[in-house]
Amino acid sequence: SRWYRSNIRWVGENPAVGLSSWAGTKMCGASGQRVDEIISTYDPGGQVLRQQPNLAIIHLGTNDMTQFTSGTWVGGSIALSISNLSTLLTTIFANKPDILVCVCKIIPNQGASDSNITSWNAAMETMVLAHANASRIFIADCNTAFKNDATWATDYMSDNTHPNDAGEAVMATAILSAIQANITLMTRNAAQTRRTIVPKVSALSYTASTAT
């Protein structure tokens, strides 16, 4: 809608892809990278400092769960990958304490790694609930949104790992539902000179854990 186009600005240093291209703007994603690689090579704290977003949406962990070399899990372990995600969140909040963060339960996979993804999502939710900044984090359950369709693998996936256009639309709907459940968009300050994104409640993660 015109309201969203005129009042929400997508920021980042990489071009948008997929259905998000309509925004004509940017993102902070890095194709094919695990969480530890994002931390070590992509300077997420620096990006937050430069772009100053009010809201960050994170869908990370798929590469951690699917990368194998000669039977060895490159990501190390679920516990290590979740610890890396916790470190990433801490870095983001250290650079912008007033940011709100939507962390997505990652979408399912058609291969054997789907059991890892199920375990990752459960561990991620536990970590978020215990995180020092939990009151500013909420969860969008993209995984359940996919699996609510018994034929998700053919309806929503372009291959074992990546969503097709329909799958991207399902993800967007799940994320928007979580946003609507947890934050108030574009609240003006007293002087009516600046809009901000604020939480609807003091602790977001509990209500978000059941949102799809």
Side-chain angles (χ1 to χ4, degrees):
S1 72
R2 184 176 178 181
W3 187 90
Y4 282 103
R5 288 174 182 264
S6 61
N7 289 281
I8 293 179
R9 182 166 63 95
W10 296 85
V11 296
E13 297 184 358
N14 292 336
V17 296
L19 294 182
S20 60
S21 296
W22 70 265
T25 53
K26 304 292 184 178
M27 64 171 187
C28 289
S31 178
Q33 291 195 359
R34 302 184 307 273
V35 180
D36 61 298
E37 292 172 320
I38 293 285
I39 293 171
S40 64
T41 66
Y42 198 59
D43 185 24
Q47 287 237 7
V48 169
L49 281 173
R50 286 190 291 273
Q51 303 296 336
Q52 291 293 295
N54 301 108
L55 171 67
I57 300 170
I58 296 175
H59 185 280
L60 286 175
T62 298
N63 291 306
D64 296 67
M65 298 300 101
T66 59
Q67 290 183 9
F68 292 84
T69 300
S70 301
T72 300
W73 193 11
V74 180
S77 67
I78 291 175
L80 178 58
S81 296
I82 292 296
S83 177
N84 290 335
L85 181 62
S86 179
T87 297
L88 175 62
L89 290 170
T90 299
T91 300
I92 290 173
F93 284 107
N95 285 284
K96 197 172 192 304
D98 64 341
I99 196 171
L100 295 173
V101 178
C102 173
V103 181
C104 300
K105 291 187 176 181
I106 58 178
I107 64 173
N109 189 280
Q110 296 186 67
S113 60
D114 193 51
S115 60
N116 291 334
I117 287 174
T118 298
S119 297
W120 158 277
N121 284 330
M124 180 274 290
E125 184 168 17
T126 298
M127 179 273 289
V128 164
L129 290 170
H131 196 275
N133 301 101
S135 65
R136 302 196 67 80
I137 306 169
F138 59 98
I139 296 170
D141 192 350
C142 294
N143 190 281
T144 298
F146 269 55
K147 288 191 171 179
N148 280 338
D149 180 349
T151 56
W152 62 267
T154 54
D155 290 347
Y156 299 150
M157 304 296 287
S158 62
D159 55 26
N160 280 353
T161 303
H162 300 94
N164 58 22
D165 284 355
E168 288 184 354
V170 170
M171 293 175 69
T173 298
I175 292 167
L176 178 60
S177 295
I179 290 173
Q180 290 173 326
N182 286 283
I183 68 176
T184 300
L185 291 174
M186 303 306 180
T187 298
R188 289 183 180 272
N189 62 357
Q192 300 291 301
T193 58
R194 186 170 69 91
R195 293 182 176 93
T196 57
I197 295 177
V198 298
K200 287 183 177 178
V201 293
S202 58
L204 302 176
S205 51
Y206 175 76
T207 56
S209 67
T210 58
T212 59

